[in-house]
Amino acid sequence: MILLYFIIGIYALAMLFILLYSFAQANLLYHFFQFRKNIPKAHQPSWEELPVVTVQLPVFNEKYVVERLLDAAAKFNYPKDKLEIQILDDSTDETAGIVQKYIQDFPEIDFQYIHRQDRRGFKAGALKAGLEVAKGDFIAVFDADFVPDPDFLLQTIGHFSNEKIGMVQSRWTHLNESYSLLTRLQAFALDAHFMVEQMGRNHQKAFINFNGTGGIWRKSCIVDAGNWHDDTLTEDLDLSYRAQQKGWEFIYRPDIKSPAELPPVMSAIKSQQFRWTKGGAECAAKHLKNVWKEPFGLRKKLHASAHLLNAVIFIAVVIVSLCSIPLWWGFQQGMIPGEVFQGAALFLIGFVIIALVYFFANLSLVDFSAKGILRFLWELPVFLSVSMGLSIHNAQAVWEGLTGKKSPFIRTPKYNLSDDRQSWKHNIYHQLKVPVTTYLEGGMALVFLLMVILSIYFHTYEMLVFHGMLALGFTLVSVESFRSYRI
């Protein structure tokens, strides 16, 4: 009995973390509504006043998308004598030849091809190497899977007339969100970040992050903040916090769109998720102490904590999931009074808040159309289920990040798939090795499917919806994972 009450305590603490995180999200949702009323606009300099800009395109083995990227970069609407485009190529395959052949056809454009033989520092190292020889006072960055808008530079550069502005970030949009269920669910999640979270933080001058691409920096801001570091897997988040702790201000422009490709298969999604979640945890370990030591104000510190520790929610989900099994048993045996379960309903407030965040983030992009609302009604439970299904994989990443375990930068394979008739199976960059966590996910799918069956058989329904979502989530994640590791 003592052990059961101990499990109840652990369960309650994990649920409390989720609830507190949801309160931070509720505050961001409020400021999202305020931000929408007054989206910042930039001073528009004349053509003659435009400064020199360097566009950095970090590339590593991207033969499927690199020409698309270069096509878009060649179309920037900006004075040719004030625009430098650096191709920071660490490739070890035919990508290098594709790039060099391509740029020969554009002698009027200042393409600077920089090829490193040593990938030291990975993306951060490439950006730093390019910065050392960059001609521009302003540095725009686009990853290989992006298709930047021709007017991106003109839409953002005017913000730098304010000497305090260090970076301007645009909103990611999605080239292939309709390709599959997986790409649609990723768009569902990213839209919440780029609408509610980025807008909510920026409105109240909390720390926001450069998203690694689709943004433009003041070069002196990067240098003043200590340049690019490679000691975390999210060099973008790391530099963002260092710059803002030095007093630089960031601007977020949700109305400026930067289209990008979403990973279409689970193995690629997991690669990206692992890097983001572990890197965020590494940045928490690196920066949270300094944030709380500095006189930033309590609200700013709390939002920084919620921001840097947001992926810890995956550890909380794993704990809640595992604890729910003995708790179900306790209810079934009559060892836990019904009042305990009724009191636990308080934690449902957190899930309602999170649902509202995704509702307003996604529906605001389609003007709250009837079609959008109907789509939301099935997307939300499926998204939450798949997020739970990814909890083991992401919890491992968070734990490694918080405890200081290092791992190499694994980039996400790009596919250049525009519709569902194209196949990803022949991509040579595709991962083949099945990680141990995929087998654990399959095991968890069977466990929670069994819990659903037992709940129905014994008429013990307290955990039925939760266990049903876990069974669905772990099943989808494990099946798609095994499927995606096959060529």
Side-chain angles (χ1 to χ4, degrees), residues 185-461:
L185 293 179
Q186 290 173 83
F188 186 84
L190 286 169
D191 287 342
H193 168 70
F194 281 99
M195 295 299 290
V196 172
E197 293 182 346
Q198 288 287 62
M199 291 171 67
R201 292 186 184 113
N202 203 208
H203 180 260
Q204 55 189 312
K205 299 189 182 301
F207 289 97
I208 70 168
N209 59 296
F210 169 57
N211 291 104
T213 174
I216 180 169
W217 286 83
R218 189 189 298 272
K219 183 178 180 180
S220 58
C221 170
I222 298 175
V223 174
D224 181 56
N227 216 318
W228 297 100
H229 291 181
D230 61 6
D231 57 346
T232 74
L233 293 180
T234 46
E235 71 292 322
D236 45 9
L237 180 61
D238 172 44
L239 180 59
S240 298
Y241 266 75
R242 284 187 280 116
Q244 288 168 104
Q245 288 178 77
K246 295 276 285 187
W248 291 96
E249 297 178 9
F250 289 3
I251 287 178
Y252 177 60
R253 288 288 302 272
D255 54 325
I256 301 176
K257 302 175 184 179
S258 290
E261 174 185 308
L262 295 164
V265 294
M266 186 59 73
S267 59
I269 294 169
K270 282 184 169 181
S271 173
Q272 188 178 72
Q273 287 278 309
F274 192 91
R275 190 173 68 250
W276 288 352
T277 51
K278 180 171 182 176
E282 289 175 327
C283 286
K286 182 175 180 177
H287 293 295
L288 261 185
K289 183 178 179 181
N290 289 336
V291 168
W292 278 92
K293 284 172 59 179
E294 298 296 328
F296 289 125
L298 182 60
R299 176 186 293 184
K300 197 167 186 175
K301 292 176 180 180
L302 288 173
H303 273 297
S305 300
H307 187 191
L308 292 173
L309 294 173
N310 62 0
V312 176
I313 200 168
F314 290 108
I315 295 179
V317 169
V318 172
I319 292 171
V320 169
S321 302
L322 294 176
C323 287
S324 70
I325 297 173
L327 291 185
W328 174 89
W329 179 81
F331 282 121
Q332 199 275 328
Q333 296 293 315
M335 301 172 66
I336 300 176
E339 289 78 12
V340 173
F341 182 76
Q342 293 170 5
L346 171 68
F347 295 119
L348 292 177
I349 295 172
F351 292 97
V352 172
I353 292 171
I354 291 170
L356 289 173
V357 167
Y358 284 101
F359 178 83
F360 286 106
N362 283 271
L363 272 297
S364 64
L365 292 173
V366 293
D367 296 323
F368 297 92
S369 66
K371 181 179 178 181
I373 292 173
L374 289 173
R375 187 172 71 177
F376 176 83
L377 291 176
W378 69 261
E379 280 183 337
L380 178 65
V382 175
F383 166 74
L384 292 176
S385 297
V386 171
S387 297
M388 294 176 188
L390 284 166
S391 60
I392 291 178
H393 175 269
N394 288 347
Q396 177 192 357
V398 175
W399 184 255
E400 288 186 8
L402 292 176
T403 57
K405 181 179 179 180
K406 294 300 180 182
S407 57
F409 184 101
I410 305 297
R411 72 96 158 96
T412 306
K414 315 301 190 302
Y415 294 81
N416 196 5
L417 303 177
S418 58
D419 60 58
D420 59 6
R421 292 184 299 275
Q422 295 175 289
S423 174
W424 47 263
K425 292 186 177 182
H426 302 293
N427 187 303
I428 65 171
Y429 306 130
H430 207 68
Q431 185 176 346
L432 293 173
K433 185 179 179 181
V434 181
V436 174
T437 51
T438 297
Y439 296 101
L440 291 176
E441 289 156 358
M444 292 287 271
L446 295 175
V447 167
F448 287 108
L449 179 59
L450 176 62
M451 293 305 301
V452 169
I453 295 171
L454 290 174
S455 294
I456 296 172
Y457 180 79
F458 288 109
H459 306 289
T460 308
Y461 302 120

Side-chain angles (χ1 to χ4, degrees), residues 67-267:
E67 286 193 65
R68 183 181 67 183
L69 172 68
L70 296 175
D71 279 337
K75 295 174 183 175
F76 274 124
N77 183 18
Y78 207 80
K80 294 293 186 288
D81 61 331
K82 296 182 178 180
L83 177 63
E84 175 191 39
I85 300 176
Q86 289 184 340
I87 304 156
L88 308 175
D89 185 16
D90 288 356
S91 296
T92 56
D93 68 355
E94 62 262 45
T95 302
I98 294 172
V99 171
Q100 292 178 77
K101 181 179 178 181
Y102 181 95
I103 62 179
Q104 290 176 1
D105 295 332
F106 293 89
E108 73 281 8
I109 297 176
D110 186 11
F111 277 118
Q112 295 294 319
Y113 180 72
I114 301 173
H115 187 258
R116 297 194 307 162
Q117 299 296 329
D118 181 358
R119 286 190 70 213
R120 185 175 302 171
F122 303 103
K123 180 181 175 181
L127 293 171
K128 186 174 182 180
L131 192 71
E132 292 175 355
V133 294
K135 300 172 185 175
D137 293 323
F138 302 93
I139 311 293
V141 181
F142 288 95
D143 282 349
D145 52 336
F146 274 68
V147 183
D149 187 282
D151 291 328
F152 172 85
L153 299 176
L154 294 180
Q155 292 173 316
T156 56
I157 198 68
H159 285 293
F160 294 103
S161 60
N162 180 346
E163 293 295 326
K164 296 180 180 179
I165 302 302
M167 191 278 297
V168 180
Q169 175 67 51
S170 65
R171 175 169 65 90
W172 294 6
T173 57
H174 320 294
L175 293 168
N176 62 331
E177 78 174 85
S178 299
Y179 178 81
S180 68
L181 173 64
L182 294 181
T183 55
R184 180 56 217 147
L185 293 179
Q186 290 173 83
F188 186 84
L190 286 169
D191 287 342
H193 168 70
F194 281 99
M195 295 299 290
V196 172
E197 293 182 346
Q198 288 287 62
M199 291 171 67
R201 292 186 184 113
N202 203 208
H203 180 260
Q204 55 189 312
K205 299 189 182 301
F207 289 97
I208 70 168
N209 59 296
F210 169 57
N211 291 104
T213 174
I216 180 169
W217 286 83
R218 189 189 298 272
K219 183 178 180 180
S220 58
C221 170
I222 298 175
V223 174
D224 181 56
N227 216 318
W228 297 100
H229 291 181
D230 61 6
D231 57 346
T232 74
L233 293 180
T234 46
E235 71 292 322
D236 45 9
L237 180 61
D238 172 44
L239 180 59
S240 298
Y241 266 75
R242 284 187 280 116
Q244 288 168 104
Q245 288 178 77
K246 295 276 285 187
W248 291 96
E249 297 178 9
F250 289 3
I251 287 178
Y252 177 60
R253 288 288 302 272
D255 54 325
I256 301 176
K257 302 175 184 179
S258 290
E261 174 185 308
L262 295 164
V265 294
M266 186 59 73
S267 59

Side-chain angles (χ1 to χ4, degrees), residues 34-45:
Q34 303 304 309
F35 190 100
R36 290 184 71 197
K37 300 174 185 177
N38 189 26
I39 295 176
K41 299 297 181 183
H43 158 73
Q44 192 62 50

